[in-house]
Amino acid sequence: MPHRLELAMLSVQRDNAMIGQVYDMLNMVWKTYHFSPKSMRELKALGEDLGVNVLVPSGVRGTRWLPHVSRALETLLRPGKDNHGQFTAVYCHMDHLAGSSANADIAGRARKIKKTMGDGTFVAFCHFLADVFSGLTKFSLLQKNEIILPQAVCGLQNLLATTEVMEARPKPGGRLSQLQDALRQQKRQQEEQGEIPNYKFQTVTLKGDFSNLAEAEASRKRAPKLQNAIEATVRSTVKHLKARFCSLLGK
């Protein structure tokens, strides 16, 4: 079952360009700190200044693609104190590297990561993908010896149902839902003060056409680019899960 789940999600990644962008960005972040102890020391020092307990960015390569990417994504999005978190620390350090590194490759990579992390649509999609992966991770735990076949079938059906629902609305209490709530709160506060809405995630100002996230949960009112990526991911995930587990589903 875990092997089939892995194959299904690899197919989903090939179908969806934005998942590939998430994978590439997480890999660039890992590469920056894995091969440079100096950069890792600077990131931790910056985290201490911000009051963030910085974790070592997780790698995304390995024999099990899904757990690696899920862990790396959760690490990047983890919250901290005073609206700061791992995301803030990495973004600020990339800004520093982009302007100070004498190595052209490192500086160029840092600029690319910083630009990607400042894209509101991309950040919102990362939150959505974290919600999808959380359901997939729970299903992967059904590989225990004491699990019997009916439990596996029930778990798969629940996974398909919860994934399909995410096409229309965020997972209740999930990452994307929390982001929406935070954006709505920011919008209310700024409107009360007579300011133009300026949306942020962990103090990082976000750019792009994603502001409708702060207005409604209905899928038709989401930013088109984000909604298209969500719909494509949900449909591809459901399609490939059904294809890989057709024997369990009796189809």
Side-chain angles (χ1 to χ4, degrees):
M1 287 175 58
H3 180 60
R4 291 189 182 190
L5 182 63
E6 183 79 6
L7 293 175
M9 293 313 299
L10 285 172
S11 298
V12 173
Q13 182 197 9
R14 288 192 289 267
D15 285 351
N16 192 304
M18 192 168 284
I19 293 181
Q21 293 174 17
V22 174
Y23 178 88
D24 290 340
M25 190 272 289
L26 292 173
N27 188 55
M28 286 190 293
V29 170
W30 169 80
K31 185 177 181 180
T32 299
Y33 299 109
H34 181 75
F35 293 105
S36 175
K38 177 184 176 183
S39 292
M40 192 64 233
R41 288 195 300 270
E42 291 176 347
L43 179 64
K44 288 185 175 180
L46 180 59
E48 290 179 0
D49 292 339
L50 295 173
V52 177
N53 181 24
V54 170
L55 300 180
V56 177
S58 300
V60 293
R61 299 184 184 276
T63 55
R64 296 283 299 280
W65 178 84
L66 177 59
H68 286 292
V69 178
S70 180
R71 183 165 53 250
L73 195 55
E74 287 292 337
T75 298
L76 183 65
L77 299 178
R78 65 189 293 268
K81 298 180 180 179
D82 300 325
N83 293 324
H84 294 109
Q86 181 96 0
F87 191 91
T88 312
V90 172
Y91 181 88
C92 292
H93 188 239
M94 289 300 165
D95 184 41
H96 167 72
L97 288 177
S100 64
S101 178
N103 187 307
D105 290 338
I106 294 176
R109 186 196 311 146
R111 283 192 294 270
K112 185 174 182 180
I113 294 173
K114 178 190 172 186
K115 181 179 179 180
T116 302
M117 293 177 70
D119 184 340
T121 298
F122 181 85
V123 172
F125 183 77
C126 285
H127 283 71
F128 160 76
L129 200 59
D131 290 339
V132 174
F133 282 170
S134 67
L136 294 168
T137 301
K138 289 180 181 178
F139 179 69
S140 69
L141 297 177
L142 293 177
Q143 61 183 302
K144 297 178 181 177
N145 291 333
E146 61 269 22
I147 298 297
I148 59 176
L149 185 58
Q151 290 175 296
V153 175
C154 182
L156 178 59
Q157 291 172 338
N158 289 337
L159 174 61
L160 291 170
T162 55
T163 303
E164 287 177 323
V165 169
M166 290 185 202
E167 183 177 344
R169 59 180 181 272
K171 176 183 176 182
R175 291 278 190 179
L176 183 56
S177 179
Q178 293 174 12
L179 177 64
Q180 283 187 315
D181 291 342
L183 295 179
R184 291 193 190 100
Q185 183 178 3
Q186 292 175 30
K187 182 179 181 180
R188 285 195 299 269
Q189 292 175 346
Q190 291 167 1
E191 287 179 343
E192 290 173 358
Q193 298 172 4
E195 300 175 353
I196 298 175
N198 183 25
Y199 301 109
K200 297 181 179 181
F201 172 63
Q202 290 191 13
T203 72
V204 176
T205 301
L206 304 176
K207 300 178 181 179
D209 180 20
F210 69 100
S211 59
N212 284 342
L213 275 176
E215 298 176 3
E217 292 186 3
S219 62
R220 65 181 181 276
K221 293 186 178 181
R222 286 183 190 154
K225 182 179 178 181
L226 174 62
Q227 181 59 24
N228 290 339
I230 287 175
E231 290 178 357
T233 301
V234 168
R235 293 170 185 174
S236 180
T237 300
V238 171
K239 169 188 171 183
H240 289 294
L241 285 175
K242 288 182 175 179
R244 290 291 178 182
F245 293 96
C246 57
S247 58
L248 282 180
L249 296 170
K251 297 179 180 180

